[in-house]
Amino acid sequence: MKEFEELFYRDPYCREFDAKVLSCTKAETGYAVMLDDTAFYPEGGGQPADHGTLNGIAVIDTRRTPEGILHITAEELKEGTAVHGIIDWQRRFDHMQQHTGEHIISGLIHQHFGYDNVGFHMGDDVTLIDFDGMLTWQQIQQIELEANEIIWKNEAIEIAFPTSEALKDIPYRSKKELSGDIRIVTIPEADICACCGTHVARTGEIGLIKALSSVKHHNGTRIELVCGKRAYLDDARKTDDNQKIMNSLSCKRYETANAVKRLLDDSNARERTLNAMAERMLKQKADTYPTGGHLVIDQETGINVIALRSFCNQLISDGKAVTAAVLFNDGTETDTWNYLVVSNSRNLRDDAKVLNEKLNGRGGGRPDTIQGSFHASYDEIEAELKQLLA
């Protein structure tokens, strides 16, 4: 390793260390402390900063600056003070697992598909990786399997600063043009990448890599990923949820998806039957209104908006109303009502702005149809509708 490397590079597994305070100045939040050496990794390369303590004082952030690495502490530390630093090891090792796992996934995707990693964010719960090409979920699953096979081989990870001459022959990945001393992280069979982060010593320490989801992002693919303990906790939570579904639906472990589908199919069939009954009921109700009316205000519970829209349209087409309004909810709320208003003679879009303002509402629509919700009592809403629309 290079002589000027900080302790977090010389020994990424260092959890405690001793150093001396070179300077301490007031920061926007807390104090900015510079040490003569440090095991605290500063935020960079997509990896968050280390946390921990210096002489028991909380280190809440670590930043790299042109002058050196600043430790943002909760309290002041006098210049010249000898300090004992303790790294939040659980946080650091988690970051090492996520970062090394990301390298394996990014390297394999680059190998197989030629796509570049163009974005990397390590959050508190998941890691997001953006690629500049489209990937199917099946392709991602195959990469995931290959990545875990590399983990199970427990390959040693090499970190080095090749000479400029040697670097010319190394096919390493990098998001940007680099110059000077370049730190290369090599994972056998998976990846060679320029990187400033901390990594585990062997792939087996990652434990497990699990892709959670993928979505189209710009012209490429965003993958949501967890590694190590995060992957274990994610699996434990899913197993617990699956067990609850098994118990509720009396099905076997790998039959929950089909059991839920059958339940949804039955529910959808019942809903279609209820909707058909509701439409017949509303049609009969519309027939009871006299012709020549101007404004009809109706109240319903538990009926879908499609049936209600047909009801309003029937009232208007049959000449029972010029403007038809329906207030509806699920029957559990007294001061929250959904609204649907249809008219063939008004610009309802303008009316929606007035009604929303008076009735703490939101929504809108077309000049002939508006819908949304009001947060007011039924009587208040009915009075405002009559005043504005009648």
Side-chain angles (χ1 to χ4, degrees):
M1 293 291 184
K2 288 186 170 293
E3 292 183 1
F4 59 80
E5 279 192 294
E6 295 87 350
L7 182 54
F8 55 77
Y9 279 154
R10 300 197 306 274
D11 181 9
Y13 288 82
C14 176
R15 306 184 189 194
E16 299 188 25
F17 68 100
D18 294 302
K20 185 173 72 173
V21 176
L22 298 180
S23 65
C24 180
T25 57
K26 190 74 176 72
E28 187 174 339
T29 56
Y31 293 84
V33 176
M34 190 173 294
L35 307 177
D36 62 350
D37 198 4
T38 184
F40 282 86
Y41 178 79
E43 181 177 3
Q47 181 174 330
D50 282 340
H51 293 172
T53 61
L54 291 172
N55 285 0
I57 296 172
V59 176
I60 56 180
D61 196 10
T62 314
R63 306 168 186 168
R64 185 183 291 278
T65 70
E67 292 74 31
I69 292 174
L70 292 180
H71 308 73
I72 307 303
T73 61
E75 300 175 29
E76 184 178 9
L77 285 162
K78 297 291 187 181
E79 182 179 331
T81 301
V83 292
H84 183 68
I86 301 176
I87 304 295
D88 180 341
W89 178 247
Q90 183 171 331
R91 174 183 171 89
R92 157 69 82 75
F93 188 66
D94 169 64
H95 291 165
M96 291 164 68
Q97 288 181 313
Q98 308 311 314
H99 203 157
T100 312
E102 174 271 320
H103 272 239
I104 294 176
I105 292 293
S106 296
L108 290 176
I109 287 176
H110 186 73
Q111 283 182 34
H112 288 288
F113 305 105
Y115 300 153
D116 289 323
N117 173 335
V118 293
F120 168 48
H121 173 71
M122 191 187 302
D124 292 334
D125 300 316
V126 299
T127 293
L128 300 178
I129 318 174
D130 295 335
F131 295 95
D132 59 0
M134 297 302 300
L135 293 163
T136 67
W137 183 242
Q138 289 72 26
Q139 289 170 330
I140 293 169
Q141 287 179 311
Q142 184 56 45
I143 291 293
E144 174 189 278
L145 176 59
E146 190 173 340
N148 282 297
E149 287 173 343
I150 290 171
I151 288 175
W152 303 329
K153 291 179 181 179
N154 198 26
E155 300 279 9
I157 295 169
E158 178 187 343
I159 298 177
F161 286 87
T163 65
S164 56
E165 282 301 312
L167 203 60
K168 294 177 182 178
D169 298 322
I170 299 176
Y172 66 91
R173 293 188 302 112
S174 177
K175 290 188 178 71
K176 57 185 179 180
E177 289 293 327
L178 300 173
S179 60
D181 296 309
I182 299 177
R183 186 170 180 264
I184 299 295
V185 177
T186 301
I187 304 174
E189 302 181 51
D191 190 36
I192 305 173
C193 184
C195 180
C196 63
T198 57
H199 296 274
V200 296
R202 306 187 73 91
T203 59
E205 294 178 70
I206 300 170
L208 178 69
I209 293 176
K210 188 64 188 171
L212 303 181
S213 69
S214 69
V215 295
K216 184 179 184 299
H217 183 68
H218 299 309
N219 293 320
T221 305
R222 168 170 286 178
I223 296 176
E224 193 178 49
L225 188 78
V226 285
C227 304
K229 186 177 180 180
R230 295 191 194 189
Y232 164 77
L233 293 174
D234 176 79
D235 179 73
R237 181 174 178 179
K238 289 174 180 174
T239 300
D240 184 55
D241 286 347
N242 200 54
Q243 185 67 46
K244 292 174 183 176
I245 296 172
M246 289 164 55
N247 294 339
S248 298
L249 302 183
S250 300
C251 62
K252 295 180 180 179
R253 182 172 308 280
Y254 299 113
E255 296 176 358
T256 51
N258 287 334
V260 170
K261 183 179 184 302
R262 287 195 298 271
L263 185 68
L264 290 175
D265 288 343
D266 291 344
S267 176
N268 291 335
R270 285 194 296 270
E271 186 175 354
R272 287 192 295 270
T273 299
L274 290 173
N275 288 342
M277 293 172 61
E279 287 183 10
R280 290 195 295 271
M281 180 271 292
L282 289 173
K283 187 177 187 307
Q284 293 172 354
K285 188 174 187 178
D287 291 338
T288 65
Y289 283 92
T291 58
H294 184 78
L295 173 65
V296 170
I297 301 175
D298 184 53
Q299 176 184 342
E300 300 293 343
T301 299
I303 297 180
N304 73 86
V305 70
I306 296 175
L308 295 176
R309 188 177 289 112
S310 296
F311 172 62
C312 291
N313 288 331
Q314 182 184 346
L315 287 172
I316 292 172
S317 63
D318 290 350
K320 305 296 180 72
V322 174
T323 301
V326 181
L327 301 175
F328 59 102
N329 59 24
D330 61 4
T332 62
E333 294 282 348
T334 58
D335 290 331
T336 299
W337 291 87
N338 298 311
Y339 68 85
L340 172 67
V341 185
V342 179
S343 180
N344 62 4
S345 67
R346 301 179 62 88
N347 184 348
L348 292 176
R349 188 178 290 167
D350 294 337
D351 294 330
K353 296 176 183 177
V354 176
L355 292 169
N356 287 337
E357 184 175 349
K358 290 186 175 182
L359 297 168
N360 191 24
R362 57 185 303 175
R366 305 190 308 268
D368 62 344
T369 305
I370 57 172
Q371 67 182 81
S373 62
F374 296 132
H375 294 282
S377 69
Y378 180 86
D379 291 341
E380 290 174 311
I381 299 169
E382 184 182 44
E384 290 294 342
L385 290 174
K386 287 180 177 178
Q387 181 176 342
L388 181 64
L389 303 178

mmCIF file of all heavy atoms in Angstrom, residues 195-236:
data_model
loop_
_atom_site.group_PDB
_atom_site.id
_atom_site.type_symbol
_atom_site.label_atom_id
_atom_site.label_comp_id
_atom_site.label_asym_id
_atom_site.label_seq_id
_atom_site.Cartn_x
_atom_site.Cartn_y
_atom_site.Cartn_z
ATOM 1 N N CYS A 195 -11.761 2.298 -7.822
ATOM 2 C CA CYS A 195 -12.686 2.553 -6.719
ATOM 3 C C CYS A 195 -11.952 3.120 -5.515
ATOM 4 O O CYS A 195 -10.823 2.728 -5.216
ATOM 5 C CB CYS A 195 -13.404 1.249 -6.338
ATOM 6 S SG CYS A 195 -14.575 1.447 -4.982
ATOM 7 N N CYS A 196 -12.629 4.012 -4.779
ATOM 8 C CA CYS A 196 -12.040 4.614 -3.585
ATOM 9 C C CYS A 196 -12.674 4.082 -2.299
ATOM 10 O O CYS A 196 -12.371 4.562 -1.220
ATOM 11 C CB CYS A 196 -12.192 6.132 -3.638
ATOM 12 S SG CYS A 196 -13.919 6.692 -3.625
ATOM 13 N N GLY A 197 -13.573 3.095 -2.420
ATOM 14 C CA GLY A 197 -14.287 2.617 -1.247
ATOM 15 C C GLY A 197 -13.558 1.531 -0.486
ATOM 16 O O GLY A 197 -12.484 1.069 -0.878
ATOM 17 N N THR A 198 -14.148 1.117 0.643
ATOM 18 C CA THR A 198 -13.616 0.008 1.426
ATOM 19 C C THR A 198 -14.364 -1.263 1.047
ATOM 20 O O THR A 198 -15.553 -1.220 0.725
ATOM 21 C CB THR A 198 -13.765 0.266 2.934
ATOM 22 O OG1 THR A 198 -15.138 0.502 3.240
ATOM 23 C CG2 THR A 198 -12.938 1.461 3.353
ATOM 24 N N HIS A 199 -13.647 -2.407 1.087
ATOM 25 C CA HIS A 199 -14.219 -3.672 0.640
ATOM 26 C C HIS A 199 -13.837 -4.794 1.580
ATOM 27 O O HIS A 199 -12.839 -4.693 2.325
ATOM 28 C CB HIS A 199 -13.739 -3.997 -0.777
ATOM 29 C CG HIS A 199 -14.207 -3.019 -1.805
ATOM 30 N ND1 HIS A 199 -15.418 -3.130 -2.434
ATOM 31 C CD2 HIS A 199 -13.632 -1.882 -2.288
ATOM 32 C CE1 HIS A 199 -15.571 -2.120 -3.275
ATOM 33 N NE2 HIS A 199 -14.497 -1.343 -3.194
ATOM 34 N N VAL A 200 -14.611 -5.877 1.535
ATOM 35 C CA VAL A 200 -14.264 -7.059 2.310
ATOM 36 C C VAL A 200 -13.031 -7.714 1.684
ATOM 37 O O VAL A 200 -12.706 -7.475 0.515
ATOM 38 C CB VAL A 200 -15.437 -8.060 2.364
ATOM 39 C CG1 VAL A 200 -16.613 -7.453 3.098
ATOM 40 C CG2 VAL A 200 -15.855 -8.499 0.962
ATOM 41 N N ALA A 201 -12.361 -8.561 2.463
ATOM 42 C CA ALA A 201 -11.125 -9.177 1.985
ATOM 43 C C ALA A 201 -11.388 -10.351 1.053
ATOM 44 O O ALA A 201 -10.630 -10.605 0.116
ATOM 45 C CB ALA A 201 -10.282 -9.634 3.175
ATOM 46 N N ARG A 202 -12.489 -11.073 1.285
ATOM 47 C CA ARG A 202 -12.832 -12.230 0.462
ATOM 48 C C ARG A 202 -14.322 -12.178 0.144
ATOM 49 O O ARG A 202 -15.124 -11.686 0.954
ATOM 50 C CB ARG A 202 -12.486 -13.540 1.160
ATOM 51 C CG ARG A 202 -11.036 -13.643 1.624
ATOM 52 C CD ARG A 202 -10.729 -15.034 2.154
ATOM 53 N NE ARG A 202 -10.632 -15.996 1.052
ATOM 54 C CZ ARG A 202 -9.502 -16.292 0.412
ATOM 55 N NH1 ARG A 202 -8.365 -15.678 0.753
ATOM 56 N NH2 ARG A 202 -9.480 -17.186 -0.557
ATOM 57 N N THR A 203 -14.685 -12.700 -1.007
ATOM 58 C CA THR A 203 -16.083 -12.605 -1.446
ATOM 59 C C THR A 203 -17.045 -13.311 -0.494
ATOM 60 O O THR A 203 -18.198 -12.904 -0.351
ATOM 61 C CB THR A 203 -16.258 -13.183 -2.857
ATOM 62 O OG1 THR A 203 -15.854 -14.562 -2.857
ATOM 63 C CG2 THR A 203 -15.428 -12.412 -3.870
ATOM 64 N N GLY A 204 -16.559 -14.365 0.191
ATOM 65 C CA GLY A 204 -17.442 -15.095 1.091
ATOM 66 C C GLY A 204 -18.009 -14.239 2.205
ATOM 67 O O GLY A 204 -19.083 -14.540 2.745
ATOM 68 N N GLU A 205 -17.308 -13.131 2.550
ATOM 69 C CA GLU A 205 -17.780 -12.261 3.628
ATOM 70 C C GLU A 205 -19.020 -11.461 3.232
ATOM 71 O O GLU A 205 -19.692 -10.897 4.096
ATOM 72 C CB GLU A 205 -16.663 -11.312 4.049
ATOM 73 C CG GLU A 205 -15.475 -12.009 4.682
ATOM 74 C CD GLU A 205 -14.383 -11.020 5.044
ATOM 75 O OE1 GLU A 205 -14.584 -10.227 5.979
ATOM 76 O OE2 GLU A 205 -13.335 -11.038 4.378
ATOM 77 N N ILE A 206 -19.322 -11.420 1.939
ATOM 78 C CA ILE A 206 -20.554 -10.738 1.509
ATOM 79 C C ILE A 206 -21.756 -11.540 1.969
ATOM 80 O O ILE A 206 -22.808 -10.971 2.285
ATOM 81 C CB ILE A 206 -20.580 -10.564 -0.024
ATOM 82 C CG1 ILE A 206 -19.388 -9.742 -0.477
ATOM 83 C CG2 ILE A 206 -21.888 -9.927 -0.482
ATOM 84 C CD1 ILE A 206 -19.195 -9.734 -1.992
ATOM 85 N N GLY A 207 -21.614 -12.855 2.021
ATOM 86 C CA GLY A 207 -22.687 -13.706 2.496
ATOM 87 C C GLY A 207 -23.698 -14.053 1.430
ATOM 88 O O GLY A 207 -23.854 -15.205 1.038
ATOM 89 N N LEU A 208 -24.411 -13.059 0.939
ATOM 90 C CA LEU A 208 -25.482 -13.283 -0.035
ATOM 91 C C LEU A 208 -25.778 -11.984 -0.756
ATOM 92 O O LEU A 208 -25.708 -10.903 -0.166
ATOM 93 C CB LEU A 208 -26.744 -13.783 0.680
ATOM 94 C CG LEU A 208 -27.991 -14.038 -0.171
ATOM 95 C CD1 LEU A 208 -27.769 -15.251 -1.073
ATOM 96 C CD2 LEU A 208 -29.214 -14.258 0.715
ATOM 97 N N ILE A 209 -26.094 -12.084 -2.043
ATOM 98 C CA ILE A 209 -26.565 -10.945 -2.831
ATOM 99 C C ILE A 209 -27.979 -11.247 -3.292
ATOM 100 O O ILE A 209 -28.255 -12.337 -3.797
ATOM 101 C CB ILE A 209 -25.669 -10.694 -4.060
ATOM 102 C CG1 ILE A 209 -24.276 -10.243 -3.634
ATOM 103 C CG2 ILE A 209 -26.288 -9.648 -4.985
ATOM 104 C CD1 ILE A 209 -23.300 -10.057 -4.783
ATOM 105 N N LYS A 210 -28.885 -10.304 -3.114
ATOM 106 C CA LYS A 210 -30.270 -10.517 -3.526
ATOM 107 C C LYS A 210 -30.806 -9.282 -4.227
ATOM 108 O O LYS A 210 -30.831 -8.193 -3.655
ATOM 109 C CB LYS A 210 -31.139 -10.832 -2.303
ATOM 110 C CG LYS A 210 -32.546 -11.251 -2.658
ATOM 111 C CD LYS A 210 -32.552 -12.549 -3.446
ATOM 112 C CE LYS A 210 -33.924 -12.902 -3.980
ATOM 113 N NZ LYS A 210 -33.873 -14.043 -4.916
ATOM 114 N N ALA A 211 -31.216 -9.450 -5.487
ATOM 115 C CA ALA A 211 -31.887 -8.371 -6.219
ATOM 116 C C ALA A 211 -33.347 -8.346 -5.800
ATOM 117 O O ALA A 211 -34.017 -9.385 -5.784
ATOM 118 C CB ALA A 211 -31.766 -8.599 -7.726
ATOM 119 N N LEU A 212 -33.850 -7.162 -5.446
ATOM 120 C CA LEU A 212 -35.224 -7.035 -4.964
ATOM 121 C C LEU A 212 -36.189 -6.593 -6.044
ATOM 122 O O LEU A 212 -37.354 -7.000 -6.058
ATOM 123 C CB LEU A 212 -35.282 -6.042 -3.798
ATOM 124 C CG LEU A 212 -34.398 -6.350 -2.595
ATOM 125 C CD1 LEU A 212 -34.594 -5.290 -1.525
ATOM 126 C CD2 LEU A 212 -34.703 -7.735 -2.036
ATOM 127 N N SER A 213 -35.718 -5.729 -6.954
ATOM 128 C CA SER A 213 -36.620 -5.226 -7.986
ATOM 129 C C SER A 213 -35.806 -4.592 -9.100
ATOM 130 O O SER A 213 -34.613 -4.323 -8.948
ATOM 131 C CB SER A 213 -37.577 -4.173 -7.398
ATOM 132 O OG SER A 213 -36.861 -2.986 -7.052
ATOM 133 N N SER A 214 -36.464 -4.354 -10.222
ATOM 134 C CA SER A 214 -35.853 -3.599 -11.320
ATOM 135 C C SER A 214 -36.934 -2.781 -12.000
ATOM 136 O O SER A 214 -38.078 -3.226 -12.116
ATOM 137 C CB SER A 214 -35.171 -4.533 -12.330
ATOM 138 O OG SER A 214 -36.142 -5.278 -13.045
ATOM 139 N N VAL A 215 -36.571 -1.575 -12.423
ATOM 140 C CA VAL A 215 -37.496 -0.703 -13.143
ATOM 141 C C VAL A 215 -36.738 -0.012 -14.270
ATOM 142 O O VAL A 215 -35.510 0.118 -14.222
ATOM 143 C CB VAL A 215 -38.123 0.372 -12.218
ATOM 144 C CG1 VAL A 215 -38.992 -0.258 -11.154
ATOM 145 C CG2 VAL A 215 -37.035 1.240 -11.575
ATOM 146 N N LYS A 216 -37.483 0.410 -15.270
ATOM 147 C CA LYS A 216 -36.885 1.219 -16.334
ATOM 148 C C LYS A 216 -36.526 2.571 -15.756
ATOM 149 O O LYS A 216 -37.327 3.202 -15.060
ATOM 150 C CB LYS A 216 -37.873 1.389 -17.496
ATOM 151 C CG LYS A 216 -37.301 2.145 -18.690
ATOM 152 C CD LYS A 216 -38.340 2.254 -19.801
ATOM 153 C CE LYS A 216 -37.736 2.924 -21.030
ATOM 154 N NZ LYS A 216 -37.248 4.302 -20.787
ATOM 155 N N HIS A 217 -35.316 3.027 -16.024
ATOM 156 C CA HIS A 217 -34.849 4.310 -15.504
ATOM 157 C C HIS A 217 -34.139 5.046 -16.630
ATOM 158 O O HIS A 217 -33.080 4.603 -17.092
ATOM 159 C CB HIS A 217 -33.914 4.104 -14.316
ATOM 160 C CG HIS A 217 -33.449 5.377 -13.676
ATOM 161 N ND1 HIS A 217 -34.289 6.212 -12.989
ATOM 162 C CD2 HIS A 217 -32.216 5.954 -13.629
ATOM 163 C CE1 HIS A 217 -33.606 7.248 -12.538
ATOM 164 N NE2 HIS A 217 -32.350 7.121 -12.913
ATOM 165 N N HIS A 218 -34.733 6.171 -17.070
ATOM 166 C CA HIS A 218 -34.253 6.873 -18.257
ATOM 167 C C HIS A 218 -34.212 5.875 -19.424
ATOM 168 O O HIS A 218 -35.228 5.275 -19.744
ATOM 169 C CB HIS A 218 -32.897 7.531 -17.993
ATOM 170 C CG HIS A 218 -32.945 8.552 -16.884
ATOM 171 N ND1 HIS A 218 -33.880 9.571 -16.857
ATOM 172 C CD2 HIS A 218 -32.191 8.703 -15.774
ATOM 173 C CE1 HIS A 218 -33.703 10.303 -15.778
ATOM 174 N NE2 HIS A 218 -32.687 9.794 -15.094
ATOM 175 N N ASN A 219 -33.053 5.648 -20.029
ATOM 176 C CA ASN A 219 -32.964 4.688 -21.127
ATOM 177 C C ASN A 219 -32.325 3.373 -20.686
ATOM 178 O O ASN A 219 -31.850 2.598 -21.519
ATOM 179 C CB ASN A 219 -32.158 5.283 -22.290
ATOM 180 C CG ASN A 219 -32.877 6.455 -22.936
ATOM 181 O OD1 ASN A 219 -34.095 6.415 -23.106
ATOM 182 N ND2 ASN A 219 -32.142 7.501 -23.276
ATOM 183 N N GLY A 220 -32.311 3.141 -19.390
ATOM 184 C CA GLY A 220 -31.674 1.945 -18.876
ATOM 185 C C GLY A 220 -32.485 1.275 -17.792
ATOM 186 O O GLY A 220 -33.720 1.344 -17.772
ATOM 187 N N THR A 221 -31.783 0.643 -16.858
ATOM 188 C CA THR A 221 -32.420 -0.164 -15.816
ATOM 189 C C THR A 221 -31.880 0.225 -14.446
ATOM 190 O O THR A 221 -30.676 0.395 -14.276
ATOM 191 C CB THR A 221 -32.142 -1.659 -16.050
ATOM 192 O OG1 THR A 221 -32.560 -2.021 -17.368
ATOM 193 C CG2 THR A 221 -32.879 -2.514 -15.034
ATOM 194 N N ARG A 222 -32.785 0.370 -13.480
ATOM 195 C CA ARG A 222 -32.386 0.593 -12.080
ATOM 196 C C ARG A 222 -32.692 -0.677 -11.298
ATOM 197 O O ARG A 222 -33.817 -1.176 -11.306
ATOM 198 C CB ARG A 222 -33.130 1.774 -11.475
ATOM 199 C CG ARG A 222 -32.980 1.896 -9.951
ATOM 200 C CD ARG A 222 -33.517 3.190 -9.426
ATOM 201 N NE ARG A 222 -32.613 4.293 -9.758
ATOM 202 C CZ ARG A 222 -32.861 5.572 -9.452
ATOM 203 N NH1 ARG A 222 -33.977 5.900 -8.821
ATOM 204 N NH2 ARG A 222 -31.993 6.519 -9.791
ATOM 205 N N ILE A 223 -31.672 -1.207 -10.617
ATOM 206 C CA ILE A 223 -31.814 -2.415 -9.818
ATOM 207 C C ILE A 223 -31.746 -2.049 -8.337
ATOM 208 O O ILE A 223 -30.889 -1.279 -7.914
ATOM 209 C CB ILE A 223 -30.711 -3.439 -10.153
ATOM 210 C CG1 ILE A 223 -30.843 -3.897 -11.608
ATOM 211 C CG2 ILE A 223 -30.780 -4.637 -9.223
ATOM 212 C CD1 ILE A 223 -29.733 -4.834 -12.054
ATOM 213 N N GLU A 224 -32.657 -2.617 -7.565
ATOM 214 C CA GLU A 224 -32.661 -2.474 -6.109
ATOM 215 C C GLU A 224 -32.054 -3.747 -5.533
ATOM 216 O O GLU A 224 -32.494 -4.854 -5.842
ATOM 217 C CB GLU A 224 -34.096 -2.282 -5.635
ATOM 218 C CG GLU A 224 -34.233 -1.825 -4.206
ATOM 219 C CD GLU A 224 -35.683 -1.603 -3.829
ATOM 220 O OE1 GLU A 224 -36.502 -2.506 -4.095
ATOM 221 O OE2 GLU A 224 -36.003 -0.535 -3.286
ATOM 222 N N LEU A 225 -31.059 -3.577 -4.665
ATOM 223 C CA LEU A 225 -30.205 -4.691 -4.268
ATOM 224 C C LEU A 225 -29.943 -4.661 -2.769
ATOM 225 O O LEU A 225 -29.879 -3.601 -2.159
ATOM 226 C CB LEU A 225 -28.877 -4.564 -5.022
ATOM 227 C CG LEU A 225 -27.850 -5.673 -4.955
ATOM 228 C CD1 LEU A 225 -28.277 -6.810 -5.879
ATOM 229 C CD2 LEU A 225 -26.491 -5.131 -5.408
ATOM 230 N N VAL A 226 -29.793 -5.855 -2.168
ATOM 231 C CA VAL A 226 -29.312 -5.944 -0.787
ATOM 232 C C VAL A 226 -28.258 -7.049 -0.711
ATOM 233 O O VAL A 226 -28.316 -8.027 -1.451
ATOM 234 C CB VAL A 226 -30.446 -6.239 0.229
ATOM 235 C CG1 VAL A 226 -31.290 -5.017 0.474
ATOM 236 C CG2 VAL A 226 -31.304 -7.414 -0.224
ATOM 237 N N CYS A 227 -27.301 -6.875 0.192
ATOM 238 C CA CYS A 227 -26.223 -7.852 0.369
ATOM 239 C C CYS A 227 -26.037 -8.136 1.849
ATOM 240 O O CYS A 227 -26.427 -7.344 2.708
ATOM 241 C CB CYS A 227 -24.903 -7.327 -0.205
ATOM 242 S SG CYS A 227 -24.959 -6.841 -1.935
ATOM 243 N N GLY A 228 -25.398 -9.276 2.149
ATOM 244 C CA GLY A 228 -24.999 -9.587 3.513
ATOM 245 C C GLY A 228 -26.158 -9.671 4.483
ATOM 246 O O GLY A 228 -27.174 -10.313 4.228
ATOM 247 N N LYS A 229 -26.014 -9.017 5.636
ATOM 248 C CA LYS A 229 -27.032 -9.057 6.677
ATOM 249 C C LYS A 229 -28.348 -8.488 6.171
ATOM 250 O O LYS A 229 -29.428 -8.969 6.553
ATOM 251 C CB LYS A 229 -26.545 -8.292 7.913
ATOM 252 C CG LYS A 229 -27.488 -8.414 9.103
ATOM 253 C CD LYS A 229 -26.924 -7.703 10.326
ATOM 254 C CE LYS A 229 -27.875 -7.835 11.509
ATOM 255 N NZ LYS A 229 -27.337 -7.154 12.722
ATOM 256 N N ARG A 230 -28.276 -7.475 5.318
ATOM 257 C CA ARG A 230 -29.515 -6.907 4.770
ATOM 258 C C ARG A 230 -30.287 -7.970 3.995
ATOM 259 O O ARG A 230 -31.514 -8.034 4.059
ATOM 260 C CB ARG A 230 -29.209 -5.731 3.853
ATOM 261 C CG ARG A 230 -28.595 -4.533 4.527
ATOM 262 C CD ARG A 230 -28.588 -3.345 3.591
ATOM 263 N NE ARG A 230 -27.727 -2.271 4.064
ATOM 264 C CZ ARG A 230 -27.678 -1.062 3.522
ATOM 265 N NH1 ARG A 230 -28.418 -0.790 2.469
ATOM 266 N NH2 ARG A 230 -26.873 -0.133 4.006
ATOM 267 N N ALA A 231 -29.560 -8.799 3.225
ATOM 268 C CA ALA A 231 -30.210 -9.858 2.451
ATOM 269 C C ALA A 231 -30.828 -10.887 3.389
ATOM 270 O O ALA A 231 -31.932 -11.390 3.142
ATOM 271 C CB ALA A 231 -29.210 -10.516 1.510
ATOM 272 N N TYR A 232 -30.128 -11.222 4.464
ATOM 273 C CA TYR A 232 -30.674 -12.163 5.450
ATOM 274 C C TYR A 232 -31.954 -11.607 6.072
ATOM 275 O O TYR A 232 -32.964 -12.315 6.175
ATOM 276 C CB TYR A 232 -29.644 -12.441 6.548
ATOM 277 C CG TYR A 232 -30.265 -13.076 7.772
ATOM 278 C CD1 TYR A 232 -30.604 -14.434 7.774
ATOM 279 C CD2 TYR A 232 -30.554 -12.307 8.895
ATOM 280 C CE1 TYR A 232 -31.205 -15.002 8.880
ATOM 281 C CE2 TYR A 232 -31.160 -12.880 10.003
ATOM 282 C CZ TYR A 232 -31.493 -14.228 9.993
ATOM 283 O OH TYR A 232 -32.103 -14.783 11.081
ATOM 284 N N LEU A 233 -31.924 -10.336 6.505
ATOM 285 C CA LEU A 233 -33.103 -9.737 7.140
ATOM 286 C C LEU A 233 -34.271 -9.631 6.166
ATOM 287 O O LEU A 233 -35.431 -9.832 6.546
ATOM 288 C CB LEU A 233 -32.743 -8.359 7.700
ATOM 289 C CG LEU A 233 -31.753 -8.349 8.870
ATOM 290 C CD1 LEU A 233 -31.376 -6.912 9.233
ATOM 291 C CD2 LEU A 233 -32.328 -9.085 10.076
ATOM 292 N N ASP A 234 -33.961 -9.336 4.902
ATOM 293 C CA ASP A 234 -35.021 -9.274 3.884
ATOM 294 C C ASP A 234 -35.662 -10.645 3.716
ATOM 295 O O ASP A 234 -36.897 -10.767 3.664
ATOM 296 C CB ASP A 234 -34.438 -8.790 2.559
ATOM 297 C CG ASP A 234 -35.465 -8.783 1.435
ATOM 298 O OD1 ASP A 234 -36.276 -7.836 1.398
ATOM 299 O OD2 ASP A 234 -35.465 -9.721 0.619
ATOM 300 N N ASP A 235 -34.830 -11.695 3.645
ATOM 301 C CA ASP A 235 -35.361 -13.048 3.500
ATOM 302 C C ASP A 235 -36.172 -13.450 4.734
ATOM 303 O O ASP A 235 -37.224 -14.089 4.619
ATOM 304 C CB ASP A 235 -34.218 -14.042 3.279
ATOM 305 C CG ASP A 235 -34.714 -15.465 3.156
ATOM 306 O OD1 ASP A 235 -35.304 -15.793 2.104
ATOM 307 O OD2 ASP A 235 -34.537 -16.244 4.109
ATOM 308 N N ALA A 236 -35.691 -13.085 5.922
ATOM 309 C CA ALA A 236 -36.403 -13.433 7.156
ATOM 310 C C ALA A 236 -37.787 -12.789 7.185
ATOM 311 O O ALA A 236 -38.782 -13.413 7.582
ATOM 312 C CB ALA A 236 -35.584 -12.993 8.372
#
